[in-house]
Amino acid sequence: MAKKSSISFAASAIADLESIREYYAEQMVPDVGERLVLEVVSHLEKLAVHPDMGRVVPEFSVEYLRELIFPPFRIVYRRDTNKVRIVRVWRSERLLTLPEP
């Protein structure tokens, strides 16, 4: 049996999940935000066993930067040996861009 990958979250991904919860709380449906965040995290747990299940992020075309589409979210993660780091959890229509130098 293959070794499970560890999963961690970048500060940006944690902020994204908090923003999702806050948005739905502001819309007066905090239970929806809580449910969505729990569903996203539950979906991400599959990466521990199947770290390559996401596709390569088309904007960068590098093997280690992958994404899962979990409507309405786009979850971007970095795939390393025995490690998965969740980088962003965005609305799926957003494009990923590099910061200006």
Side-chain angles (χ1 to χ4, degrees), residues 52-79:
D52 292 324
M53 69 187 236
R55 70 178 185 175
V56 172
V57 176
E59 293 93 323
F60 297 108
S61 298
V62 291
E63 187 64 26
Y64 62 85
L65 195 59
R66 296 178 166 268
E67 67 182 358
L68 294 173
I69 304 301
F70 187 70
F73 303 106
R74 181 181 191 200
I75 304 163
V76 179
Y77 67 97
R78 181 182 173 111
R79 162 62 160 115

Side-chain angles (χ1 to χ4, degrees), residues 9 19 22-23 27 29 32 39-40 47-48 67-68 70 72 82-83 88 92 95 97-98:
F9 289 79
S19 292
E22 289 171 10
Y23 171 79
Q27 302 303 309
V29 286
V32 172
E39 287 177 3
V40 166
L47 289 172
E67 67 182 358
L68 294 173
F70 187 70
N82 298 323
K83 290 190 284 185
R88 299 305 307 243
S92 57
L95 293 176
T97 57
L98 290 173

Side-chain angles (χ1 to χ4, degrees), residues 4-64:
K4 283 188 172 183
S5 296
S6 66
I7 299 174
S8 64
F9 289 79
S12 54
I14 292 170
D16 292 339
L17 293 171
E18 286 297 322
S19 292
I20 292 165
R21 288 177 43 199
E22 289 171 10
Y23 171 79
Y24 287 99
E26 290 169 2
Q27 302 303 309
M28 307 299 282
V29 286
D31 53 317
V32 172
E34 291 293 329
R35 181 180 51 81
L36 281 172
V37 168
L38 289 174
E39 287 177 3
V40 166
V41 171
S42 177
H43 189 66
L44 292 175
E45 290 174 354
K46 296 174 187 172
L47 289 172
V49 178
H50 304 288
D52 292 324
M53 69 187 236
R55 70 178 185 175
V56 172
V57 176
E59 293 93 323
F60 297 108
S61 298
V62 291
E63 187 64 26
Y64 62 85

